[in-house]
Amino acid sequence: MQSKVIGFLLILAGSLLLLVWLGLVGVADFVSWPFLFFLLGAVLLFFGFVKKNGSLVLTGGLIAALFLAIWGKASVQGWPGHWSILLALVGMAVLLHFGVTKNTNSAIVGATLFLSGILAYPGITELPVFAPLTSAMHKVWPVLIIVLGFVFLTRKG
């Protein structure tokens, strides 16, 4: 357990130092309430993984996703401010929950939210590799969420 805590702290510290070194964030930006709540979510997420506690992973992931989006928009240069980034981050949190619980519903919901967030982002259509696919999907991504809703309404159990 001790080596995992040290590993988590080294990854976190290295990531933050990299952001400062690249000039994307100032040191003073780390002293803000959104960043502190993001850290709280990251710590909960870490301990959820260590303890294999799906509820803790989901709670920590959602807190980290929400406050990462808030902090990133306020503090990180070049952070995309579109709402779809939050949707993709929430989808990643649910996929992390799936990683611990192996619950099929988590995988479906997480993948749908993540893909919807990515496809809803306006800048995705500018990528030449994905442009043919995303130009069509960018217009119909809400259908993914509607279909997901019908899947859950018609499932037994």
Side-chain angles (χ1 to χ4, degrees), residues 4-144:
K4 290 184 180 186
V5 171
I6 291 171
F8 171 72
L9 291 175
L10 286 173
I11 290 170
L12 185 62
S15 300
L16 299 178
L17 289 171
L18 182 63
L19 287 173
V20 171
W21 182 71
L22 291 173
L24 297 174
V25 178
V27 176
D29 292 324
F30 295 121
V31 185
S32 64
W33 65 269
F35 184 74
L36 295 177
F37 275 104
F38 163 70
L39 279 181
L40 171 69
V43 168
L44 290 175
L45 184 65
F46 169 73
F47 282 110
F49 268 112
V50 170
K51 301 289 185 186
K52 304 261 190 254
N53 184 333
S55 298
L56 198 56
V57 168
L58 185 60
T59 303
L62 291 175
I63 291 171
L66 175 64
F67 287 100
L68 179 63
I70 293 170
W71 178 74
K73 187 173 180 184
S75 302
V76 179
Q77 292 178 348
W79 183 270
H82 196 261
W83 58 267
S84 62
I85 298 302
L86 180 59
L87 189 62
L89 289 172
V90 168
M92 286 180 18
V94 176
L95 285 172
L96 290 172
H97 178 259
F98 165 73
V100 171
T101 63
K102 306 298 185 219
N103 183 339
T104 308
N105 290 340
S106 294
I108 293 169
V109 170
T112 303
L113 290 175
F114 179 74
L115 289 174
S116 296
I118 296 297
L119 294 173
Y121 183 64
I124 196 79
T125 57
E126 297 170 11
L127 297 174
V129 175
F130 300 110
L133 173 65
T134 58
S135 62
M137 290 303 294
H138 187 74
K139 297 173 186 166
V140 297
W141 67 266
V143 174
L144 290 172

